[in-house]
Amino acid sequence: MTKKTRLGKTDIYVNPIGLGTNAVGGHNIFPNLDDETGKEIVRTALDHGINFLDTAFYYGPERSEEIIGEVVKEFGRRDEVVIATKGAHKFVDGKVVLDNSPDFLRESVEGSLKRLKTDYIDLYYIHFPDETTPKDEAVGELKKLKDEGKIRAIGVSNFSLEQLKEANKDGYVDVIQSEYNLFKRQAEKDLLPYTAENGISFIPYFPLASGLLSGKYSKDAKFNDSRAQNPLFQGEAFARNLEKVEQLRPIAEAKNAEIAHVVLAWYLTVDSIDAIIPGAKKPEQVLDNLKTLDVQLTKEEIEKISRIFQ
C-alpha cells in the first residue's frame, strides 16, 4: 500500500508519484500519439496505485481530458482518483490567446467538467498568467467555484513570485506548478521559500529536463525535436551536463535503481514538493516511474546531488 501524501494545506491526499498526461491525447504537443496507448497509460497508472492525474485543456487541445474522463469512468471509483486540470488558453481567429478573466475561467471549468465526465475537479489551475486580469480576481472566481463544489483546490501554473503573491492575497492558492529540475533551480531562490512559508504545494514540471536527467543519453545523441533548440542540449553545455548526470550513476547503482529514480526521489526531499508528475508515452514507463518510491536517499546523498548541480 503506497503511503499517500497531503497536497499542501488541502484535504487532498495523493501518491507522491503522479502522472503527467501531455502525451495522452496531446496531439498538438507530440507527433504520432495513439489514443489507445494513451488510455492504456492511464489505466496502468490507476491499476497500480497512481491516483494523481495531471492534464489540461491545452493538451490536445481537449483530447487529453476526454481520454482521462473515459478511463476514470470505466475505472468506476471516482472518489479514489485525484484529477488536476488547467485552463487559460482560448482560440481567437485560429490564434491561441491567454485569458484569466473570471467569466472565461468559469466557462473553462464547465468545459473541463464535461470532457472529464465528472461533477467536480480535484485541483484546477490557471495554466498561464494573462497580461491584464488581476490575479486575485481570477483566483477569487476559482474560490466561488470551490464554494459551489465544482473544484476542491485552487492552483496556478507558470506564475512568477510577484504574480503568485497577488494571486494568494486572500490565502486561497493551494498549489503552484512551475518548471524546476536539477538544471533549473531558480525556484529555490524565489518560489520555494514563499510556498514553504504559506503551506502551498509546489509541483515541478519537466522534472527530468526533457530526458537529460534520465541518464540514457550519450554525447553523440542527436535531437530533431524541441530539444534541438534547448541550450541544455547544445554543444559543450550538453557534454558538461552529461558529465554531471554520470556522477549520479554510483548512487543509482548502489540502490539498484536508475538515475531517473534517484533524481525524482531527490525532488521529494525538497520542502514544499509533495508530489511529482513524470509523464509517460508507454504503459511500461508508468511502472518504471513508480520505482522511485523504493529509493531512500541519505542526508549525505541529498547534499551531494545538490552540490553536483550547484
Side-chain angles (χ1 to χ4, degrees):
M1 183 66 184
T2 308
K3 181 175 163 287
K4 297 270 200 304
T5 182
R6 183 180 174 192
L7 279 186
K9 54 189 185 298
T10 70
D11 58 356
I12 295 173
Y13 287 80
V14 297
N15 184 326
I17 305 296
L19 175 67
T21 65
N22 61 359
V24 171
H27 299 282
N28 55 341
I29 300 172
F30 297 102
N32 313 317
L33 291 180
D34 171 65
D35 283 355
E36 281 313 309
T37 305
K39 287 177 192 174
E40 211 38 61
I41 287 168
V42 181
R43 282 186 199 115
T44 302
L46 294 175
D47 289 345
H48 289 86
I50 290 178
N51 71 326
F52 187 24
L53 307 177
D54 181 274
T55 184
F57 159 82
Y58 187 71
Y59 305 163
E62 302 187 346
R63 190 66 188 124
S64 180
E65 288 183 327
E66 289 168 352
I67 290 172
I68 284 166
E70 284 172 46
V71 177
V72 170
K73 199 164 183 65
E74 167 196 296
F75 181 67
R77 303 191 293 284
R78 171 66 184 93
D79 60 328
E80 290 177 23
V81 186
V82 173
I83 300 174
T85 192
K86 315 176 201 75
H89 298 84
K90 68 177 181 185
F91 293 90
V92 179
D93 303 329
K95 286 201 181 87
V96 181
V97 176
L98 293 173
D99 188 347
N100 297 172
S101 68
D103 286 351
F104 183 70
L105 289 175
R106 178 167 288 272
E107 197 183 301
S108 298
V109 167
E110 296 293 355
S112 288
L113 287 167
K114 284 194 185 76
R115 288 185 291 275
L116 290 162
K117 300 178 171 47
T118 183
D119 50 10
Y120 67 94
I121 292 161
D122 298 278
L123 168 57
Y124 193 86
Y125 292 97
I126 299 172
H127 200 162
F128 278 88
D130 70 10
E131 297 280 319
T132 52
T133 312
K135 300 301 157 238
D136 54 328
E137 271 180 32
V139 166
E141 188 64 25
L142 294 185
K143 173 68 165 71
K144 286 181 193 163
L145 287 155
K146 185 176 175 178
D147 293 341
E148 290 164 27
K150 290 183 175 176
I151 64 179
R152 290 176 65 201
I154 294 170
V156 297
S157 178
N158 300 295
F159 276 39
S160 67
L161 178 61
E162 279 57 46
Q163 289 165 333
L164 173 59
K165 284 179 173 172
E166 186 188 341
N168 195 42
K169 205 165 83 177
D170 301 304
Y172 295 151
V173 176
D174 298 304
V175 184
I176 182 168
Q177 191 174 125
S178 199
E179 184 171 9
Y180 175 66
N181 57 56
L182 281 164
F183 287 115
K184 293 206 166 180
R185 296 174 68 179
Q186 177 57 33
E188 291 172 13
K189 295 189 178 69
D190 46 35
L191 293 169
L192 284 164
Y194 182 83
T195 57
E197 201 180 310
N198 289 275
I200 294 171
S201 195
F202 183 102
I203 309 278
Y205 67 76
F206 292 154
L208 294 175
S210 301
L212 186 50
L213 285 160
S214 67
K216 295 195 166 117
Y217 296 143
S218 70
K219 282 203 291 284
D220 6 314
K222 294 279 178 280
F223 304 98
N224 58 0
D225 52 19
S226 60
R227 286 172 290 196
Q229 271 71 56
N230 186 329
L232 290 174
F233 287 82
Q234 288 173 358
E236 301 227 330
F238 182 53
R240 275 199 309 276
N241 291 337
L242 287 180
E243 280 166 21
K244 288 180 181 178
V245 175
E246 272 310 304
Q247 291 181 59
L248 301 179
R249 200 169 293 282
I251 298 176
E253 284 172 354
K255 295 184 186 299
N256 202 13
E258 289 167 33
I259 287 174
H261 304 139
V262 169
V263 171
L264 295 174
W266 186 85
Y267 298 132
L268 291 173
T269 69
V270 175
D271 207 5
S272 278
I273 297 183
D274 301 310
I276 47 180
I277 47 167
K281 287 185 182 162
K282 297 190 288 241
E284 309 83 84
Q285 290 173 320
V286 175
L287 301 179
D288 191 59
N289 291 337
L290 274 171
K291 293 178 187 166
T292 302
L293 295 174
D294 300 329
V295 175
Q296 298 298 319
L297 296 171
T298 65
K299 188 166 175 286
E300 290 70 30
E301 287 165 339
I302 292 165
E303 288 167 1
K304 182 179 183 179
I305 293 166
S306 185
R307 275 198 307 277
I308 292 169
F309 291 88
Q310 211 79 67

